[in-house]
Amino acid sequence: MAMAGFALDDRQRLDWLRLIRSESIGPRTFRTLVNRFGGAAGALDALPELGRQAGRTLRLCTIAEAEREFEALRRRGAHLIALGEAAYPVPLQAIDSAPPLIAIEGEPAVLSRPCVALVGSRNASAAGLKFTATLARELGEAGFVVVSGLARGIDTSAHQASLESGTIAVLAGGLDQVYPPQNISLLDRIRPRGAALSEMPLGWVPRGRDFPRRNRLVSGLALGTVVVEAARKSGSLITARFANEQGRQVFAVPGSPLDPRAEGGNHLIREGAILCAETAHVVDVLAPMLRQGDLFGPVPFLAREGGEPPARQEALWDELDLPEVLPAPKLELESEFPRRQDVVADVPHRLLLDLIGSAPIAMDDLVRASGRPAREVSRILLELELEGVVQRHAGGALSRSG
Amino acid sequence: MAMAGFALDDRQRLDWLRLIRSESIGPRTFRTLVNRFGGAAGALDALPELGRQAGRTLRLCTIAEAEREFEALRRRGAHLIALGEAAYPVPLQAIDSAPPLIAIEGEPAVLSRPCVALVGSRNASAAGLKFTATLARELGEAGFVVVSGLARGIDTSAHQASLESGTIAVLAGGLDQVYPPQNISLLDRIRPRGAALSEMPLGWVPRGRDFPRRNRLVSGLALGTVVVEAARKSGSLITARFANEQGRQVFAVPGSPLDPRAEGGNHLIREGAILCAETAHVVDVLAPMLRQGDLFGPVPFLAREGGEPPARQEALWDELDLPEVLPAPKLELESEFPRRQDVVADVPHRLLLDLIGSAPIAMDDLVRASGRPAREVSRILLELELEGVVQRHAGGALSRSG
């Protein structure tokens, strides 16, 4: 369903914000609920009962909380853009787990220009930083906006070299929770011609797992992702994997096999990434794409807000039978927050789904079989139930639907 | 035509040596002549008249000269192996321009084992030398013989690390003309378990153009060639190109785009070479090939020495309509002999052939049109005539045959 001209009114935007800010609701569940209930308002009405059926009390974001966030954003000069609205970046709209709302600060025009993501190690070499700066500057000269994650090292170099031409920093926390703090001043220099972008609420302090989650937006905004220096197990490789899953070009800069910072890039090249040794190696691939129409596949279905729920819901579920919204990274992370332990864990939907067959199984048995904490299993089961792939029986046992 | 069990008697070996040591006779012309005249003896008999028809006096290698070379080789403990004999390396036999005779010193058994060529810069980095040593040692442990060119830098490191497991040094000059001289002692350590190999006569001081010519033997002996550090325009890239044309695997070690020594390798990877960052990347490709039969294509036709000339010579010419024996390198060379100017020039058969049509053209016009020295044009025309693709008319004008 095309969404040209789609725009939320104030009330709808408030409902969207409340729904996405409510407990256990991620981008994928958001879309499931909006499609099932014909809009965010209907989903908010239905959630308490859905939670009760799942044996849980879901905390909804209140109207007052949502209004406070709007007001705080307004005071900062930030905007919320809804999935499907004209200002929402087209490449990002095409990814499976596109955030329903993105908060941006800066120059909105930058969101409509073609982007290249540059990512790499925080502990970059002098040569890596120099190469990144040259690449970012020349990509800017070629008309591309440089997207990165505002981290130390490669990210910082990429943003700095593209301040004039335009650069987008995607934050893992809220727009007011810049990490690392020493890059607050860099972000101040990014905004005049570029933008800061976040899907998280103001005040959200980024946790370890928010960084790989954020990386899908870095790759999703761009036609291609260039990995400049990356250890074998690093967040940059997760960004590259997201780019690949999103059907975007993946480029990697090679390095000596004796340099651990080159392991990730060399590995990606062996896996099929395009070797990038100069800017032309990126531009020569991406520039011709700009002359094609319809670069991105069909946008995942989203019901028109306030419209009727579609007649054949089954077809919708099929359409929504997508991979995990936020797949558990298969790579161990080079943690961006070395002091935290929660970097790797992400929702193991697939694991639980594999354990659930057509014969009902008790929640306790699932907890034992999965080896995951009861609270996590409960949360995932709710999501699976909301997606319609799992159904709950008398006594709370679960089986596959249909 | 299979050549199993083929072996020359002493007289035939002398004739072969005389023919290949005669003026203007390279491996390709050698094969053409042997096929046309049913053996080297017949070719030697016919050459004076062929030369006269071409307006040239061809200097033939005399029996005495050939016997002196045999005796000198014998005193050194060296052997001459003929194309098609059991001891001749099978992979080398399969290349278009396989030398009719190779002189070897050392352990002949090494010639029958699977080989990998390691080549790279003479001005290698410490990291490049270290990586080469590890690669050569591990390839040796995996059962491969390491082939290289005895040059400074990467070649030296490759040989040194594979002295125990076996290594072959292919020389651009005669077996007694080691270049560079400081590697004479290295060659002494190579021979006990490895070999020195040359197609050139004893006493032949290598000229610049002999090095790219030699490189086809380095790649031709091996299942695959690994380029470790190579500038964009270097002899190593010529070896890689030969390997590719010979249908062998090409591997390249990546490096930083800011390191000029990595340009060649990165370029090769972009062109389709396999990125090699560890030994397994080579072994995993080559080891399975060893379990296949018939790795190499059909061996280029060579008439049985002393047998009847084949009835349909036209078919032979077709079979022999191969690319240049020693194609003029398209890359400018990083000269191995910086003081000489004759590095790039190689026989531009193709250029002359393009200038010759069905209407006879005078030799002088060909010299003018080709821009090549008269002496070179004369030599090439003789070769083309011997191959049967060009014919000479009254007054010396030339046209395409048939």
Side-chain angles (χ1 to χ4, degrees), chain B residues 2 85 130 141 159 198 234 246 271 277 287 289 294 300 307 318 323-324 336 350-351 368 370 392 398:
Chain B
E85 290 187 322
K130 182 181 168 193
E141 288 164 4
H159 288 304
S198 171
S234 69
Q246 291 161 353
E271 298 289 312
M289 292 170 61
D294 200 20
D318 288 348
E324 298 281 67
E336 302 203 41
R350 195 62 59 189
L351 167 66
R368 252 192 306 280
S370 67
R392 198 172 294 265
L398 295 121

Side-chain angles (χ1 to χ4, degrees), chain A residues 127 253-255 257-258 270 275 277 281, chain B residues 127 253-255 257-258 266 270 275 277 281:
Chain A
V253 178
L258 299 180
R270 281 183 56 82
L275 187 152
H281 295 162
Chain B
V253 178
L258 299 180
N266 290 344
R270 280 182 56 83
L275 187 152
H281 294 161

Side-chain angles (χ1 to χ4, degrees), chain B residues 66-128:
Chain B
E67 282 178 341
R68 272 200 297 278
E69 184 172 350
F70 271 129
E71 177 55 21
L73 287 167
R74 197 191 56 73
R75 279 199 306 271
R76 294 182 64 88
H79 303 272
L80 274 184
I81 305 173
L83 181 63
E85 290 187 322
Y88 198 98
V90 173
L92 188 60
Q93 185 169 304
I95 75 170
D96 284 346
S97 56
L101 289 166
I102 51 175
I104 79 138
E105 265 177 16
E107 169 53 56
V110 84
L111 298 178
S112 61
R113 290 170 50 202
C115 297
V116 175
L118 289 193
V119 298
S121 173
R122 282 164 292 122
N123 302 307
S125 70

